[in-house]
Amino acid sequence: MTFDWWTFGLQTVNVLILIWILGRFFWRPVAGMIEQRRRQAQDLLEQARRDKEAAARALAEAEERSDGFAAEREAILARARQEAVEAKRVLMEQAQAEAARARSAAAADLARRRQDSEQEWAAQAGRLAVTIAGRLAARLDGAAVRAAFLHWLIEKLGAQSEQTRQSLVTGGAVELISATPLDNSEQSRIGAALASALGAAPELAFLVDPALIAGLELRTPHFALSNSWRADLAEILAELSHDRRN
Amino acid sequence: MNSPLVTAPLFHLGPVPVSAPVVTASAIVACLSFGAFLASRRLRLVPGAFQAFIELLVESVDSQIRDTMRVEPAPYRAFIGSLFLFIFAANWSSLVPGVEPPTAHLETDAALAFLVFLAVIVFGVRVGGWRGYLATFAKPNLLLVPLNFVESLTRIFSLLVRLFGNVMSGVFVIGIVLSLAGLLVPIPLMALDLLTGAVQAYIFAVLAMVFIAEGLDLPPSDKLEKETS
C-alpha cells in the first residue's frame, strides 16, 4: 500500500476549486433566487394583508356611513311626518274655518233669500189681496158708496187748512175724478156739497179714472186729495210693507 | 487488474505525477462547474422544471444543515453541498466504462477528510474565535480535552476509511466477479454499488456537518434562535 502525496494534494486542490466554483456560480445564485422569491412572496402576502386591512377598514367605514344614512333617513322621515302632521292640522283648521265661513255665508244668504222671498211673497200676497179687495170693492161701486166717499171727501176738506180751502176756490179749475162717469144730478149734488164745505163753489172739471175702483178725488196743479179705494188699498199695502220691514 | 491500494501516475506535468483519480476528479470538477454555470445562467422567479429541480436540491441541502447543525445554512451550504455533489458524482463515475471512481483511492478520500478537518477548524474559529473553538474540546468536562482532541483526529480518519472502504470494496468485488463470471453477472452488484455510493456521499456529508457543528462554540439558545429565524 502506498500513499501518493501528489495525488492527495491535487485532489485537495480539485475539491477546493469545485467548492469555490459551485459556491460562486451555483449555491449562492440559486439560494439567492429562492430567497428573492420568498421575499417577494412575503411582500405580496404583506401587501395582501395591508389590502385586506384596508378593505376591512373601508367596509367598516361604509357600514358606519350606511348606519349614518339610515339614521339620517329616519330623522328625515320623522321630520317629514311631523311636518305632514303640522300641515294637515293647518289645512284642517283652514278647511274648518273656510267651511265655517262658507256655512255662515250660506246661512246668511239663505236667510237673506228667505227674507227676500218672504218679502216677495208678502208683496205678491199684498198685491193679490189689494187686487182681490179692488175687485170686490168694484162690485160695491154704487150710489151708496159714492155717497160715503163724498162724505169722507167733505171730512178731509174740513181737515185742510183755511188757506188750502181758499186756494181750491180761487185757484182755478179743480179736477174731480171718479171711477165711473157721474150723471148731472150726482155732479150737482157733489158740487153743492163741495161749495158747502169750502164756503164757495169751486170750478169743477169731472174726470173718470176707473183705476180708482171707487171714490172721489180732487186734484189741482198744486194740490191732490186722495179719497178712493185705490188710495186706501195703496196705503194699506204700504203699511203692510212697512210692517214686514219692521 | 491493478490494486486499488496503489495509485500509479498516468503522466507527469514537469515534476508532478498526475494519476488517474486526479484526471477523473478534474473531469468531474469540470463537468459539475460547467453544469452549475449552465444551471444558474437562466434563473427566473417563476421556475421551470430544471430550475425547480436544482432549487429542490439547494433546499434539501439547507434543510439537512438546519436539521443536523441547528444553524442557518448559508455559510456552510457551499462546502457541504459541494462535498456531497463531488462524492456522489465520483462514486457514480463508475457508470462510465473504463472509469474508476476517484473515491476508490485513498488519496482522494484523504483529501476530502482533510478538507473536513480544516473546515471544522475554520468554521469553528470563524464563529467562536480561537478561544471558543478550543473551548469546544473542554465539553462537557475539562478532563475530556485529551480524549476530544484524539477524537477530532480519529473521527476524520474514520471518515476517510469509511468512504474508502465502501467504495473500494465495491469496485474490488465487481472487478473480481467480472474476472470470474460472465459479462452480465456483476450488474446487480454494480446497482448495489451505485446505491452504496449515494448513501456514502450522504453519510460523508452528514458526518461532515456533525463534526463542523461540534466545533462551533454556540450556546443552545443561539442555535435555537437561529433555527427559529
Side-chain angles (χ1 to χ4, degrees):
Chain A
M1 178 178 177
T2 59
F3 190 85
D4 185 7
W5 288 100
W6 280 110
T7 301
F8 170 77
L10 290 174
Q11 295 293 57
T12 303
V13 171
N14 265 337
V15 176
L16 280 175
I17 290 171
L18 178 69
I19 291 170
W20 183 82
I21 289 176
L22 290 188
R24 178 83 170 76
F25 294 106
F26 182 72
W27 301 108
R28 195 183 302 169
V30 176
M33 179 55 64
I34 293 172
E35 178 64 20
Q36 185 181 350
R37 185 182 302 117
R38 188 186 62 80
R39 203 175 297 122
Q40 196 160 357
Q42 277 185 342
D43 291 345
L44 285 174
L45 287 174
E46 181 65 20
Q47 182 65 36
R49 188 186 61 78
R50 282 198 295 269
D51 290 346
K52 185 180 176 184
E53 289 178 356
R57 279 197 301 274
L59 181 63
E61 287 177 3
E63 286 177 349
E64 190 177 351
R65 201 175 299 127
S66 174
D67 292 344
F69 285 158
E72 190 175 355
R73 173 175 163 273
E74 287 299 323
I76 289 172
L77 284 176
R79 199 159 54 243
R81 275 196 293 269
Q82 189 175 356
E83 288 175 359
V85 168
E86 183 66 20
K88 178 185 173 187
R89 188 184 62 76
V90 170
L91 284 175
M92 285 294 291
E93 287 178 357
Q94 288 177 350
Q96 286 173 352
E98 192 71 25
R101 278 198 299 275
R103 211 165 34 239
S104 59
D109 185 56
L110 187 62
R112 183 177 52 77
R113 285 172 185 271
R114 187 182 297 143
Q115 188 176 4
D116 292 345
S117 177
E118 286 175 356
Q119 287 177 358
E120 180 65 25
W121 281 112
Q124 285 186 5
R127 285 193 295 274
L128 181 60
V130 168
T131 303
I132 293 170
R135 287 188 180 178
L136 289 173
R139 298 180 63 183
L140 294 175
D141 189 21
V145 174
R146 283 193 294 271
F149 273 104
L150 179 60
H151 175 70
W152 292 331
L153 180 64
I154 297 302
E155 280 184 351
K156 287 180 181 179
L157 284 174
Q160 300 297 320
S161 63
E162 184 62 29
Q163 186 181 359
T164 303
R165 284 197 299 271
Q166 283 297 318
S167 67
L168 289 175
V169 175
T170 61
V174 175
E175 292 177 349
L176 192 145
I177 306 166
S178 63
T180 55
L182 300 175
D183 54 14
N184 292 329
S185 62
E186 211 164 8
Q187 288 179 358
S188 299
R189 190 168 49 87
I190 290 171
L194 287 176
S196 173
L198 296 174
E203 185 182 350
L204 291 174
F206 293 94
L207 299 176
V208 177
D209 183 3
L212 293 182
I213 303 172
L216 295 170
E217 291 187 351
L218 289 177
R219 191 175 300 163
T220 67
H222 307 291
F223 177 75
L225 182 62
S226 298
N227 180 38
S228 63
W229 287 120
R230 185 182 66 177
D232 291 343
L233 290 174
E235 186 177 356
I236 290 168
L237 187 60
E239 286 178 356
L240 287 174
S241 299
H242 184 263
D243 289 342
R244 281 194 299 273
R245 288 192 191 93
N246 292 333
Chain B
M1 179 182 176
N2 296 327
S3 169
L5 301 179
V6 176
T7 305
L10 284 179
F11 55 90
H12 286 77
L13 285 175
V16 179
V18 179
S19 59
V22 172
V23 173
T24 307
S26 299
I28 290 171
V29 167
C31 289
L32 287 177
S33 301
F34 185 67
F37 175 73
L38 289 181
S40 62
R41 196 174 55 165
R42 292 177 181 173
L43 293 176
R44 299 283 183 274
L45 271 177
V46 181
F50 182 67
Q51 184 178 336
F53 170 73
I54 61 174
E55 287 182 4
L56 176 66
L57 176 65
V58 173
E59 288 187 338
S60 298
V61 171
D62 284 358
S63 173
Q64 285 295 325
I65 294 172
R66 278 196 197 92
D67 293 343
T68 307
M69 299 177 68
R70 304 282 180 176
V71 293
E72 273 302 299
Y76 315 99
R77 184 188 300 124
F79 180 75
I80 301 296
S82 302
L83 215 57
F84 171 78
L85 284 181
F86 176 78
I87 297 170
F88 184 86
N91 290 346
W92 280 37
S93 63
S94 61
L95 287 174
V96 179
V99 174
E100 191 176 344
T103 44
H105 290 268
L106 193 60
E107 291 83 358
T108 307
D109 299 330
L112 293 169
F114 177 67
L115 286 176
V116 172
F117 177 74
L118 289 181
V120 170
I121 297 172
V122 169
F123 287 125
V125 172
R126 186 189 290 177
V127 171
W130 281 107
R131 185 184 296 273
Y133 170 67
L134 292 175
T136 59
F137 286 94
K139 290 179 181 176
N141 196 312
L142 197 61
L143 294 175
L144 293 177
V145 168
L147 200 59
N148 285 336
F149 183 74
V150 172
E151 185 203 4
S152 68
L153 298 176
T154 55
R155 68 187 180 188
I156 296 299
F157 188 73
S158 74
L159 199 63
L160 145 68
V161 170
R162 182 183 298 107
L163 181 61
F164 171 69
N166 277 281
V167 180
M168 181 272 293
S169 62
V171 173
F172 200 62
V173 167
I174 289 171
I176 292 173
V177 171
L178 190 61
S179 62
L180 296 178
L183 184 62
L184 301 178
V185 175
I187 288 180
L189 293 174
M190 290 175 71
L192 182 63
D193 196 35
L194 293 178
L195 177 63
T196 305
V199 171
Q200 286 304 315
Y202 176 73
I203 289 174
F204 194 96
V206 168
L207 287 175
M209 286 188 275
V210 171
F211 297 160
I212 291 171
E214 284 182 358
L216 301 179
D217 185 26
L218 285 178
S221 59
D222 285 0
K223 290 187 178 182
L224 287 175
E225 283 177 6
K226 286 177 181 292
E227 180 188 13
T228 52
S229 65

